[in-house]
Amino acid sequence: MSKEKITGAEVLMRSLEHHGVKNIFGYPGGTIMPVFDALYDHLDKINHVLVRHEQGAAHAAQGFARVSGKVGVCLVTSGPGATNTITGIADAMIDSTPIVVIAGQVATPFLGTDFFQEVDLVGITQPIAKWSYQIQRAEDVAWAVARAFYIAKSGRPGPVVLDFAKNAQVEMVDYEPTKVDFIRSYDPDPDINEEYLEAAAQLINNAQKPFVLVGQGVELGDAQYELRDFIEKADLPCGCTMLGLSAIPSNHPLNQGMLGMHGNLAPNVKTNECDVLIAVGMRFDDRVTGRLDTYAKQATIIHLDIDPSEINKNVQVDIPLLGNCKKTLALLTERINPNKHTEWIESFAPCAKQEYDQVIKKEVHPQEGPLNMGEVIRAVSDATHNEAILVTDVGQNQLMATRYFRYNKNRSIVTSGGLGTMGFCLPAAIGATFGAPDRTICAFMGDGGLQMSIQELGTIMEQKAPVKAILLNNNYLGNVRQWQAMFFQRRYSFTPMMNPDYMKIAEAYGIPSRRVTKREELQDAIQEMLATEGAFLLEACVIEEGNVLPMTPPGGSVNQMLLEC
């Protein structure tokens, strides 16, 4: 009995269903039209979110993936449709976010002829994706999709690009559900070295001043509970990278705060005082390490990571522990002794008090003057009982939000870390509402970042996406302005912003909104935002020349943070 012949586009739809896809973020166009036609018959199982720009589709897929733990999918046409996703692909690569970008391509007979809307997408994306592949035949569709999902989600997650030639979309072919769980020369789950495990456990057992660095790998590996068991058994203080902040509750007694250039004073200072440094699922980014030749030189370093390319890339380590940290943490916990490091942990307190007195108190609890970013962020976090998902744009809004928001649940932070993409927040927040529909999504952005993706308010309007957007409006490109103030003699070269009336823009999109300029209005406005069903835009007019502190100056060491400027 012969099998039913279906088009390559229909194979794609059935393959996506086979891999559990329920949401796609996309924008139609000429070379992907057969796929969108096939999608029309699958809308009972697959929801398509029409974004207003293809970059928004990639960021929305990222937001969906980050909060759900699933693979985000976006669907675009060739040429400019495909190239508009490049920023999102690069962002997903450096932040280890599993997305699959499916782009139309001209038919294979026209490849290389400069056909209308032809671009070498595979050539462009190979350096910024885990895998890029051009589907030229309908018979390869099911295999390519299965391989794409396996690569995107396994090992260290990341983006995959499928360049789908138009002839392959319309060719007829037999379909059979396909699964890929092995690729020769690709090892997403490396074997764990027993000798290194024993050596690491011995180091931790003998440490007088151990310190754990918690990265996003803990969340990506679903190792949040293994991390907690590990640090609690041996009484190990920890600090979190920006992307790893929600891997452990903010109020956990062993959580000493955020690492990095604008992190908390204590974990940065203590990095250069500890005797054993245990890095878990983090890549020693320059924003965390500061000056490398002075970074943790006194410490013996243990590095737990699933990606061998990260070992010794930036920081030379003494014991590399390759593997999924869900496994390596559990195996380490079995081998370490119960312990107490009371005196060492208490030594963090003076730095924490100094930072509170000189920075946090003024930022979060000001007595007079304009609204501060930090007080707005903390007030929103408190009003959500620290259970909301934080989505940020890039700039001062991001640095303040990650400093002053609080987290009680896992997978609660979505931000552009390694690439620092302005315009990320709004579409990523839309994706997050589909990835975690039962949670409150609080999206903090600046006036610069909002205007880079403001068209996605149309997506919010059409989808009724319940994004609680908080615009921290200081009429500047704030982070660049801060650097100009600190290092360029206050020469504000093209950082002041002339802003539109955001209330009128929100009204045009049918989104309820409110502007706050006075401190006494803030709590009421936040309650109105949270009580409003669906989306809301809260514009907080904050101090124009506020600075994010503490700060490790460029080229400085992590223990030389500035508390004032």
Side-chain angles (χ1 to χ4, degrees):
M1 181 177 177
S2 62
K3 296 179 181 178
E4 175 192 9
K5 295 279 188 181
I6 59 176
T7 66
E10 177 66 19
V11 172
L12 174 64
M13 288 299 105
R14 297 190 188 185
S15 297
L16 292 176
E17 288 182 2
H18 179 64
H19 286 86
V21 174
K22 291 182 169 47
N23 292 283
I24 296 176
F25 306 91
Y27 204 97
T31 61
I32 200 67
M33 210 174 296
V35 171
F36 272 88
D37 185 66
L39 174 61
Y40 195 80
D41 294 324
H42 290 262
L43 295 179
D44 58 330
K45 294 182 180 177
I46 298 179
N47 174 55
H48 179 268
V49 177
L50 177 65
V51 297
R52 298 307 189 259
H53 190 283
E54 291 90 353
Q55 183 175 336
H59 292 328
Q62 288 179 269
F64 173 89
R66 293 269 280 274
V67 301
S68 69
K70 300 175 183 178
V71 177
V73 180
C74 65
L75 183 64
V76 298
T77 195
S78 63
T83 57
N84 281 344
T85 68
I86 298 301
T87 298
I89 294 168
D91 196 292
M93 185 67 175
I94 199 165
D95 281 353
S96 305
T97 306
I99 64 171
V100 172
V101 176
I102 303 165
Q105 181 56 279
V106 303
T108 53
F110 305 114
L111 290 171
T113 68
D114 290 333
F115 202 78
F116 178 65
Q117 292 192 332
E118 179 194 1
V119 70
D120 181 7
L121 184 62
V122 170
I124 292 171
T125 58
Q126 275 183 332
I128 55 170
K130 281 189 75 176
W131 184 51
S132 295
Y133 179 75
Q134 187 174 78
I135 304 173
Q136 297 188 2
R137 307 180 305 169
E139 61 195 77
D140 295 331
V141 174
W143 167 85
V145 172
R147 187 179 173 104
F149 275 77
Y150 175 62
I151 292 173
K153 191 69 172 68
S154 60
R156 180 180 180 175
V160 169
V161 176
L162 295 179
D163 192 36
F164 198 0
K166 195 168 185 178
N167 61 286
Q169 299 174 38
V170 298
E171 290 169 359
M172 305 298 288
V173 69
D174 295 332
Y175 169 67
E176 186 171 328
T178 304
K179 181 181 179 181
V180 170
D181 55 15
F182 172 78
I183 298 173
R184 190 176 62 181
S185 78
Y186 173 57
D187 184 14
D189 191 13
D191 293 333
I192 298 169
N193 186 303
E194 289 285 336
E195 290 184 10
Y196 286 154
L197 266 176
E198 295 295 339
Q202 185 174 352
L203 271 174
I204 295 167
N205 287 337
N206 293 330
Q208 300 299 308
K209 298 178 178 180
F211 190 40
V212 179
L213 310 184
V214 178
Q216 189 195 194
V218 173
E219 298 256 61
L220 296 174
D222 290 323
Q224 298 92 341
Y225 295 108
E226 286 78 8
L227 172 72
R228 209 174 303 182
D229 290 343
F230 173 65
I231 63 173
E232 289 175 355
K233 183 175 182 179
D235 200 31
L236 306 172
C238 66
C240 300
T241 67
M242 181 180 286
L243 296 184
L245 281 169
S246 65
I248 183 170
S250 300
N251 63 355
H252 192 286
L254 291 171
N255 186 352
Q256 303 298 328
M258 184 168 72
L259 302 160
M261 176 178 279
H262 289 285
N264 296 112
L265 180 64
N268 281 293
V269 168
K270 295 301 177 179
T271 296
N272 276 13
E273 294 182 13
C274 65
D275 58 0
V276 175
L277 190 67
I278 307 137
V280 186
M282 55 87 72
R283 59 188 179 87
F284 290 109
D285 173 70
D286 62 282
R287 285 299 193 264
V288 166
T289 64
R291 184 173 165 177
L292 280 172
D293 64 354
T294 62
Y295 182 77
K297 290 302 179 182
Q298 79 295 337
T300 304
I301 301 176
I302 304 166
H303 191 181
L304 285 68
D305 208 284
I306 200 167
D307 185 356
S309 72
E310 290 298 341
I311 303 297
N312 296 324
K313 185 177 79 174
N314 295 327
V315 172
Q316 292 294 307
V317 303
D318 298 281
I319 300 180
L321 270 179
L322 278 177
N324 187 320
C325 59
K326 190 175 183 70
K327 296 179 182 178
T328 51
L329 280 172
L331 291 170
L332 259 185
T333 303
E334 290 176 3
R335 288 164 170 77
I336 61 175
N337 299 328
N339 210 335
K340 284 292 179 185
H341 296 100
T342 304
E343 186 176 345
W344 165 238
I345 292 171
E346 288 176 348
S347 74
F348 284 72
C351 285
K353 185 178 186 306
Q354 182 184 7
E355 181 184 356
Y356 180 82
D357 290 342
Q358 292 185 233
V359 178
I360 297 174
K361 185 177 179 180
K362 300 173 185 176
E363 181 67 35
V364 177
H365 305 293
Q367 300 302 308
E368 57 185 7
L371 282 168
N372 288 334
M373 288 189 184
E375 69 175 309
V376 175
I377 293 157
R378 180 60 62 81
V380 173
S381 184
D382 289 346
T384 63
H385 308 291
N386 303 326
E387 294 186 346
I389 290 173
L390 169 69
V391 186
T392 86
D393 212 84
V394 168
Q396 286 186 320
N397 64 89
Q398 174 191 42
L399 303 171
M400 286 291 196
T402 50
R403 279 184 55 81
Y404 295 112
F405 211 76
R406 292 290 177 263
Y407 317 90
N408 285 340
K409 295 183 177 181
N410 300 328
R411 293 191 176 273
S412 290
I413 179 168
V414 181
T415 192
S416 174
L419 199 64
T421 303
M422 289 181 67
F424 173 88
C425 180
L426 205 58
I430 293 168
T433 66
F434 288 93
D438 58 334
R439 298 187 64 187
T440 300
I441 310 298
C442 293
F444 286 89
M445 61 201 81
D447 40 319
L450 172 56
Q451 292 188 81
M452 284 195 174
S453 56
I454 198 167
Q455 70 278 351
E456 298 306 333
L457 290 173
T459 308
I460 291 176
M461 173 183 66
E462 182 172 348
Q463 298 295 326
K464 297 180 172 58
V467 175
K468 307 302 183 185
I470 302 97
L471 169 61
L472 302 172
N473 189 355
N474 60 7
N475 298 304
Y476 275 102
L477 297 176
N479 205 43
V480 182
R481 183 214 55 76
Q482 178 171 336
W483 281 53
Q484 289 173 335
M486 296 177 71
F487 310 115
F488 292 89
Q489 296 79 49
R490 301 178 70 87
R491 290 159 59 89
Y492 291 165
S493 181
F494 297 99
T495 47
M497 295 281 287
M498 179 179 288
N499 279 305
D501 187 331
Y502 293 107
M503 300 297 96
K504 290 181 179 178
I505 292 174
E507 181 183 6
Y509 283 104
I511 298 172
S513 63
R514 182 168 171 179
R515 178 183 291 122
V516 174
T517 60
K518 298 179 180 178
R519 185 161 290 112
E520 52 268 25
E521 302 170 337
L522 181 60
Q523 290 295 338
D524 183 66
I526 291 171
Q527 291 304 320
E528 180 184 350
M529 175 182 71
L530 297 176
T532 300
E533 185 176 353
F536 194 97
L537 174 62
L538 173 60
E539 179 184 2
C541 299
V542 297
I543 184 171
E544 291 196 345
E545 295 190 43
N547 293 318
V548 187
L549 294 167
M551 179 181 185
T552 302
S557 300
V558 291
N559 59 337
Q560 296 175 334
M561 299 190 83
L562 303 175
L563 294 177
E564 56 186 27
C565 59

